[in-house]
Amino acid sequence: MNEENIDGTNGCSKVRTGTQNEAALLALMEKTGYNMVQENGQRKFGGPPPGWEGPPPPRGCEVFVGKIPRDMYEDELVPVFERAGKIYEFRLMMEFSGENRGYAFVMYTTKEEAQLAIRILNNYEIRPGKFIGVCVSLDNCRLFIGAIPKEKKKEEILDEMKKVTEGVVDVIVYPSATDKTKNRGFAFVEYESHRAAAMARRKLIPGTFQLWGHTIQVDWADPEKEVDEETMQRVKVLYVRNLMISTTEETIKAEFNKFKPGAVERVKKLRDYAFVHFFNREDAVAAMSVMNGKCIDGASIEVTLAKPVNKENTWRPHLNGQISPNSENLIVFANKEESHPKTLGKPPTLPARLNGQHSPSPPEIERCTYPFFPGTKLTPISMYSLKSNHFNSAVMHLDYYCNKNNWAPPEYYLYSTTSQDGKVLLVYKIVIPAIANGSQSYFMPDKLCTTLEDAKELAAQFTLLHLAIHVPVCLFTGQVMGQGTQSLQPGPL
């Protein structure tokens, strides 16, 4: 262990002295034969392990470990993670003080070992009352670039990104749902390595970088969820994107039935994409090769196998501690980019109570108050300059989404009826002027509420669902009452 390592371990004396810490790490190295090197704020144990020959393990062999006690080190952590299999490399993130930063990356020699580590060590009580989190880690090579002029073509964006950053492999651009000659105002840039993507992000992230005179938005793209090959071999649903909004489910079913009449079981279309369910997998695979690139109603469609949503964990923790609900209440398969602008191939996420079923409750949104000290500098801002996760209301999310798309604000129309026990029940109809001339002219939930606030919130959430917009938590908690067919009367807003 080099001198830098010894200095790094000596800084921690809260639980044990630097000498004790150093001795424990040296004993671990002697026992295992692994080397240990500290550099760039992380301490690497192994990588490769003793006697390793050949290239490093493939993608999918690494797990992320969070919520590690700050005074816990490799001599305690490595034996725990060795229970799942042979460790290729253990990387513990370190502070200058010598404490760890609360998280680490463990690369195993096989994907099966990594999956086993997730199964047996996620929520593992590593110390009394201290539970660690373990999930898959992916080397992200893709950046999300927002605020791109909508008239720019893929070739122009690719050329420009190659001029300003290094290691660009490809650019993924999606046509607008309403005008196929324009892009959607964002793109995904694929780099040759995670390092190349990280260097590009560092160069572009300050917010002052401009392309074609526009200040662009830059962030990591949410990595596409990997599905094991065995599961994909059973898929008999196709994901079809780049459809015209006006294209109907009947048209899609007829087109996909042309190559083999009666092969399609059903079609579910949402906005400009659809899921085509087949009775047999063989027919689905054959239809994919035949239909990919075909024109339907003047639009050139893209067809792939749909990726099943993971059913094991409805609420899956992300590396940043946020929660993403992967509900399957409406559709079984999902794979599209618009569920969240930074997401490529991520399932649309659904509010947990819109269909009357309950999903596991997400954590409470932070609503703490902080002291306001005299002289604190305040900067006036617009709510539209915030990120969507600053809003805990579907009404605000919908208004924010319309503004970001340069649409007119949503229009709310209030209706009422009377229940059998004499209660006044309310429901809102929402019209989005920008898309009112499409296949869906308005949005109205199929449940009634007893309060105005609940009715508006439910209607906004229902609209977000049908637009396939990501809603981070279950926002609606008010009482809803399904009354069957009712006579609704317009009411004042």
Side-chain angles (χ1 to χ4, degrees):
M1 189 164 60
N2 62 22
E3 184 177 343
E4 184 180 359
N5 301 139
I6 298 173
D7 291 343
T9 57
N10 284 345
C12 180
S13 58
K14 290 186 177 181
V15 175
R16 59 189 183 189
T17 65
T19 302
Q20 290 172 323
N21 195 37
E22 177 188 338
L25 296 178
L26 289 171
L28 174 68
M29 294 167 59
E30 183 176 350
K31 177 183 176 182
T32 61
Y34 281 64
N35 292 321
M36 190 178 292
V37 177
Q38 182 164 320
E39 58 184 6
N40 299 326
Q42 62 180 348
R43 195 156 58 202
K44 294 183 180 180
F45 173 82
W52 180 268
E53 294 182 1
R59 185 182 176 94
C61 294
E62 187 175 73
V63 299
F64 169 84
V65 187
K67 299 187 288 185
I68 299 173
R70 296 299 183 100
D71 57 352
M72 181 173 279
Y73 301 97
E74 292 88 346
D75 59 298
E76 292 183 78
L77 293 167
V78 166
V80 172
F81 283 90
E82 281 181 331
R83 298 176 190 176
K86 184 177 179 63
I87 294 175
Y88 176 85
E89 180 182 74
F90 190 105
R91 294 186 290 127
L92 183 63
M93 304 300 114
M94 301 296 295
E95 300 279 13
F96 287 114
S97 65
E99 289 186 324
N100 76 64
R101 297 172 64 186
Y103 66 98
F105 296 88
V106 186
M107 181 179 290
Y108 288 93
T109 57
T110 67
K111 293 182 180 180
E112 291 74 20
E113 291 170 332
Q115 290 299 317
L116 179 60
I118 294 172
R119 287 200 301 273
I120 68 175
L121 297 176
N122 187 35
N123 293 322
Y124 176 77
E125 189 172 14
I126 201 158
R127 279 185 181 170
K130 301 292 184 181
F131 298 85
I132 58 174
V134 182
C135 62
V136 68
S137 169
L138 297 175
D139 285 336
N140 202 345
C141 300
R142 183 175 290 159
L143 294 183
F144 163 81
I145 309 294
I148 291 176
K150 294 186 177 182
E151 68 276 4
K152 296 298 179 182
K153 305 298 182 185
K154 173 179 177 174
E155 294 73 20
E156 297 177 88
I157 300 171
L158 179 62
D159 290 343
E160 195 68 19
M161 293 308 300
K162 284 184 174 180
K163 289 178 184 176
V164 298
T165 59
E166 296 181 0
V168 176
V169 174
D170 192 19
V171 169
I172 302 166
V173 183
Y174 295 105
S176 168
T178 54
D179 184 350
K180 300 300 181 184
T181 64
K182 296 182 178 180
N183 69 65
R184 297 189 181 184
F186 62 87
F188 298 94
V189 183
E190 186 82 26
Y191 288 85
E192 62 186 12
S193 66
H194 175 73
R195 176 176 174 78
M199 295 300 292
R201 180 175 179 269
R202 183 179 299 179
K203 180 178 181 180
L204 302 174
I205 199 66
T208 57
F209 200 91
Q210 292 190 341
L211 293 178
W212 305 289
H214 292 253
T215 300
I216 59 172
Q217 302 166 358
V218 182
D219 205 344
W220 289 108
D222 291 343
E224 184 174 353
K225 298 295 184 293
E226 291 190 350
V227 181
D228 63 89
E229 189 62 29
E230 182 181 351
T231 300
M232 290 302 297
Q233 288 296 327
R234 298 193 298 267
V235 172
K236 53 183 181 180
V237 181
L238 297 182
Y239 165 63
V240 184
R241 62 170 306 276
N242 200 33
L243 291 161
M244 300 296 290
I245 288 181
S246 58
T247 300
T248 65
E249 292 178 352
E250 291 73 19
T251 299
I252 298 169
K253 186 172 184 178
E255 290 291 332
F256 277 81
N257 263 331
K258 280 183 178 180
F259 88 101
K260 184 179 179 180
V264 177
E265 178 185 6
R266 59 190 172 91
V267 174
K268 179 64 181 179
K269 181 174 185 282
L270 295 96
R271 198 158 166 75
D272 63 339
Y273 67 101
F275 299 96
V276 182
H277 296 247
F278 286 78
F279 289 104
N280 299 306
R281 173 179 167 79
E282 294 74 17
D283 293 338
V285 174
M288 177 175 64
S289 61
V290 171
M291 296 299 295
N292 187 39
K294 293 287 186 179
C295 281
I296 297 181
D297 291 343
S300 179
I301 62 172
E302 296 179 17
V303 185
T304 59
L305 284 172
K307 291 191 174 182
V309 175
N310 191 323
K311 295 183 179 181
E312 294 179 1
N313 296 311
T314 302
W315 295 92
R316 180 175 298 278
H318 282 231
L319 301 191
N320 60 3
Q322 295 179 344
I323 300 295
S324 173
N326 289 336
S327 172
E328 293 181 280
N329 292 335
L330 179 65
I331 52 179
V332 178
F333 293 84
N335 182 9
K336 67 180 291 293
E337 77 288 354
E338 274 199 320
S339 58
H340 190 290
K342 290 195 300 177
T343 304
L344 182 64
K346 184 176 181 180
T349 55
L350 313 179
R353 286 191 62 189
L354 281 181
N355 63 354
Q357 298 180 8
H358 292 263
S359 294
S361 298
E364 291 283 336
I365 294 176
E366 182 185 14
R367 296 185 180 180
C368 301
T369 58
Y370 295 84
F372 179 63
F373 297 107
T376 300
K377 184 179 179 181
L378 298 176
T379 303
I381 64 169
S382 164
M383 62 170 274
Y384 301 113
S385 66
L386 300 173
K387 293 185 177 180
S388 61
N389 59 9
H390 287 94
F391 306 118
N392 61 359
S393 156
V395 173
M396 297 298 291
H397 266 280
L398 184 58
D399 188 61
Y400 174 87
Y401 181 80
C402 289
N403 180 271
K404 287 297 183 183
N405 282 280
N406 297 315
W407 293 351
E411 298 174 358
Y412 291 81
Y413 298 90
L414 182 63
Y415 296 84
S416 70
T417 189
T418 304
S419 67
Q420 294 178 353
D421 58 0
K423 288 183 179 179
V424 175
L425 303 178
L426 306 170
V427 65
Y428 271 102
K429 178 177 77 175
I430 296 181
V431 175
I432 309 292
I435 61 174
N437 59 349
S439 58
Q440 177 113 28
S441 58
Y442 68 89
F443 303 90
M444 180 184 286
D446 59 357
K447 297 189 184 297
L448 303 160
C449 301
T450 57
T451 70
L452 194 66
E453 293 82 1
D454 286 350
K456 194 168 189 178
E457 184 71 4
L458 181 62
Q461 207 173 80
F462 179 85
T463 304
L464 289 168
L465 168 65
H466 282 267
L467 293 175
I469 304 167
H470 175 71
V471 182
V473 295
C474 175
L475 304 172
F476 181 72
T477 57
Q479 179 185 7
V480 294
M481 301 180 64
Q483 298 293 326
T485 303
Q486 298 283 344
S487 174
L488 299 176
Q489 304 296 326
L493 293 179

